[in-house]
């Protein structure tokens, strides 16, 4: 069988300092939001679901230190969305770098493809080194405090004006990550980790992280439900609980809820 020649097509993604990727598809969504002024209209243009578009917007706003999209939910036919100044800068930077990358690869494509019959995919230049994680929640933050104990260290990470996450890691890990006051880090929280309770319960808990917010969406499934919690400053927390728990708590959009997360259940990462 004759092997067809392969062409090199660059796909540019931005990586955060934890190695998580803002893909070209998400920048295409930003571009459409800029044109349409609406997440639902942008999703329609890109032929993706309204929920997928919102998930991408929430992920981008959580991933960057400054939100890229200022969105106002209003259903599939309502609401509106605009790019922030930071969002426009990120979009322009992505477009400019993509153009430069295309020009660069156009110059070297012939050499790579003709390198003694080897596939261009074998070149380290063309591999994506983006790490992927199953954690739905990734927050950029600044270390506010480090308390070192005999075995463990307590790290306070401010991820927004309203939210500070407290995590406990070993002293060895804190030293390896070189965590200091003022340094940047990323907090990873699996969607199944938080425990939800009504914000007006008045319960006293030992959990260090009690993140309060407003339910923005509820997506029921056959077994589990996915809850989006707006925690302020364009940050969202995705929580997965059983459908039975969702019904027992009667969780619906607009409800004030509190997400409980133990300090030992948050993973920290740095560049």
């Amino acid at each position: 069988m004759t092997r067809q020649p392969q062409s090199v097509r660059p796909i540019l993604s931005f990586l955060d300092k934890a190695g998580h990727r803002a893909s070209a598809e998400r920048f295409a969504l930003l571009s459409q939001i800029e044109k349409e002024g609406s997440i639902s209209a942008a999703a329609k243009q890109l032929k993706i679901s309204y929920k997928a578009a919102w998930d991408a917007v929430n992920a981008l706003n959580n991933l960057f230190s400054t939100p890229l999209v200022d969105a106002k939910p209003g259903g599939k036919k309502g609401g509106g969305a605009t790019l922030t100044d930071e969002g426009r800068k990120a979009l322009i930077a992505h477009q400019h770098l993509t153009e430069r990358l295309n020009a660069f690869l156009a110059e070297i494509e012939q050499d790579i493809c003709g390198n003694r019959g080897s596939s261009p995919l074998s070149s380290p230049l063309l591999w994506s080194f983006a790490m992927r994680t199953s954690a739905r929640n990734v927050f950029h933050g600044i270390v506010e405090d480090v308390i070192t104990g005999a075995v463990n260290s307590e790290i306070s990470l401010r991820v927004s004006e309203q939210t500070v996450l407290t995590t406990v890691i070993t002293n060895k890990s804190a030293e390896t990550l070189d965590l200091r006051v003022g340094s940047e880090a990323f907090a990873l929280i699996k969607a199944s980790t938080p425990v939800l309770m009504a914000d007006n319960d008045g319960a006293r808990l030992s959990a260090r992280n009690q993140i309060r917010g407003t339910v923005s969406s509820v997506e029921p499934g056959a077994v589990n439900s996915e809850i989006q919690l707006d925690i302020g400053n364009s940050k969202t927390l995705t929580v997965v609980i059983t459908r039975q728990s969702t019904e027992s708590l009667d969780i619906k959009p607009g409800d004030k809820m509190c997400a409980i997360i133990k300090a030992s259940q948050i993973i920290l990462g740095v560049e």
Side-chain angles (χ1 to χ4, degrees):
M1 180 182 295
T2 302
R3 189 172 184 177
Q4 296 297 319
Q6 302 183 52
S7 63
V8 180
R9 295 183 178 180
I11 298 176
L12 179 65
S13 297
F14 279 10
L15 300 180
D16 66 20
K17 292 187 177 182
H20 306 292
R21 183 170 63 176
S23 64
E25 291 79 9
R26 287 183 174 173
F27 281 97
L29 177 61
L30 286 183
S31 180
Q32 286 299 323
I33 290 173
E34 178 78 342
K35 293 177 183 177
E36 303 290 340
S38 162
I39 292 177
S40 60
K44 185 176 181 179
Q45 289 294 324
L46 294 174
K47 295 180 171 53
I48 61 176
S49 71
Y50 180 66
K51 181 181 183 301
W54 260 104
D55 285 347
V57 167
N58 288 334
L60 285 169
N61 282 346
N62 286 343
L63 197 58
F64 285 76
S65 57
T66 302
L68 303 190
V69 179
D70 181 14
K72 298 176 177 60
K76 295 185 179 181
K77 296 183 180 180
T82 58
L83 298 192
T84 63
D85 288 342
E86 192 70 15
R88 293 186 187 92
K89 289 177 183 177
L91 182 59
I92 291 171
H94 186 270
Q95 292 170 340
H96 178 68
L97 289 172
T98 298
E99 291 172 1
R100 295 292 299 272
L101 184 59
N102 272 301
F104 171 69
L105 286 182
E107 295 178 5
I108 67 170
E109 181 176 7
Q110 186 62 43
D111 290 339
I112 295 177
C113 293
N115 184 17
R116 286 178 284 187
S118 64
S119 165
L121 297 178
S122 64
S123 170
L125 285 171
L126 306 179
W127 279 99
S128 169
F129 292 102
M131 295 172 58
R132 296 190 178 188
T133 174
S134 61
R136 291 291 303 279
N137 302 290
V138 183
F139 297 102
H140 168 274
I142 303 296
V143 176
E144 282 200 340
D145 195 17
V146 178
I147 301 175
T148 303
V151 177
N152 295 324
S153 293
E154 180 181 287
I155 313 296
S156 296
L157 186 73
R158 179 167 291 282
V159 298
S160 74
E161 292 180 6
Q162 297 176 229
T163 305
V164 175
L165 298 176
T166 299
T167 182
V168 172
I169 61 177
T170 64
N171 291 340
K172 176 77 171 176
S173 293
E175 181 180 348
T176 300
L177 296 176
D178 192 24
L179 294 173
R180 304 183 305 274
V181 173
S183 63
E184 298 179 70
F186 288 82
L188 286 74
I189 306 171
K190 295 189 66 174
S192 58
T193 294
V195 174
L196 281 183
M197 61 181 289
D199 193 19
N200 58 3
D201 279 355
R204 300 176 65 185
L205 304 169
S206 62
R208 295 298 305 277
N209 298 289
Q210 301 177 33
I211 305 174
R212 290 170 169 80
T214 303
V215 176
S216 56
S217 69
V218 179
E219 294 289 337
V223 178
N224 294 324
S225 295
E226 181 180 291
I227 315 295
Q228 289 282 352
L229 198 64
D230 181 348
I231 60 175
N233 297 110
S234 297
K235 304 294 184 184
T236 57
L237 180 70
T238 300
V239 183
V240 172
I241 61 175
T242 65
R243 182 165 183 165
Q244 182 178 359
S245 295
T246 306
E247 293 171 352
S248 297
L249 293 172
D250 190 25
I251 300 176
K252 54 189 180 299
D255 286 349
K256 302 293 184 181
M257 303 295 294
C258 183
I260 311 301
I261 308 171
K262 293 178 64 176
S264 58
Q265 293 178 310
I266 299 176
I267 298 173
L268 288 184
V270 299
E271 183 179 12

